[in-house]
Amino acid sequence: MTLPALTTARLVLRQLVEADREAVVKVFSDPEMSRFFAADFSDPAAASAMVDRRLSSRGPAGQGHWVIERDGEVVGVAHLRPSGELPGGVPELGYYVASAHAGQGLATEAARAVLDHGLHALGLPAVWALVHENNAASRKVATRLGFLDVGSGIHYGDLHRVLVALPAVHGRPHHVELWVPDLAEAERSWGWLLGELGWSEFQRWAAGVSWRLGGTYVVVEASPALSVPEHDRMRPGLNHLALHVATRAQVDDLAARAAEHGWRPLFTDRYPHAGGPAHYAAYLENEAGFEVELVAVEGPRQENAPAE
Ligand SMILES: CC(C)(COP(=O)(O)OP(=O)(O)OC[C@H]1O[C@@H](n2cnc3c(N)ncnc32)[C@H](O)[C@@H]1OP(=O)(O)O)[C@@H](O)C(=O)NCCC(=O)NCCS
């Protein structure tokens, strides 16, 4: 599995390969580097065995081990990988910068690139870090990256802070507003579907209603300012709204029950792969002509081909 290279102002992070072994052993050559670890990686054999473990690890797409390069020199290592310490194998971030290059903000810069990659490019719901209770420099790095301290526990054989970073709301949808010709019909179809997906009623007024999930809400409004009486998804404007569904079985279940709630299935001859062979989704249309796509997010993340 190939990892993307991550570029920052001063650094390039690229996938760790066998040819980096010597350089990584050198990064760990100062015993200070291992001060907070159970093993002493200033021993070249221990460092080399650690490189072996990193090279042989097979994680989910986009997760793994990078070397941190500055001006072509390997100055450190970073990783994002399923945690062997925390429940459920949640993604765990780690960073190491050689003593000779410490104190210049390089760990912060490298770790921020890996964290952004995890939270934004991979869309992970959270990234975790475990930092030794007494590792003041690493705790400072984590704080600067916005990690929250959610407790402590014995990890890697000693007391560690348990830290978590969550995606920021910055740049995410705040709300979506759909103007509909018939509010009662919209409530029957959208209200049922969004309710099934965990949204709850948020606002209500004579001409509209909204439902909220987390930081996002969807409004349906029968506005008196509507210029035409019907929605045509083939015209410029919204073609469809696509919503995450946790499992394929739930997509099947919702698709089967949707007809009782004002939705008719689309592209049934290609169900559930109308969006491409690796994309599991149901496409539905309500009486007002609005299309919704319900996408199962379990399994490897794939790009979908547009259906219609
Ligand atoms: C921890 C480590 C990654 C920090 O690397 P770095 O490139 O020096 O980190 P940064 O320069 O981005 O930030 C470190 C900050 O901690 C501060 N710091 C360093 N030693 C400190 C100490 N003993 N007490 C308090 N703060 C300390 C630095 O001054 C700096 O803060 P500043 O920018 O406000 O001056 C590096 O020392 C390292 O690799 N250590 C060994 C491996 C390790 O512990 N990795 C973390 C595993 S969770």
Side-chain angles (χ1 to χ4, degrees), residues 25 30 55 65 82 110 129 137 146 163 166 168 178 181 196 201 245 287 300:
V25 169
D30 178 356
L55 285 172
H65 300 264
L163 306 158
L166 304 171
L178 305 174
E196 289 287 320
E201 189 173 313
V245 177
E287 285 167 30

Side-chain angles (χ1 to χ4, degrees), residues 33 95-97 102-105 107-108 130 135-138 140-141 144:
M33 289 290 289
Y95 39 82
Y96 314 81
V97 167
Q104 302 173 54
T108 305
L130 294 168
N135 193 344
S138 182
K140 195 158 186 181
V141 171
R144 268 204 296 238

Side-chain angles (χ1 to χ4, degrees), residues 97-120:
V97 167
S99 314
H101 298 272
Q104 302 173 54
L106 297 183
T108 305
E109 193 170 315
R112 179 169 285 133
V114 178
L115 181 62
D116 285 350
H117 166 72
L119 291 179
H120 302 145

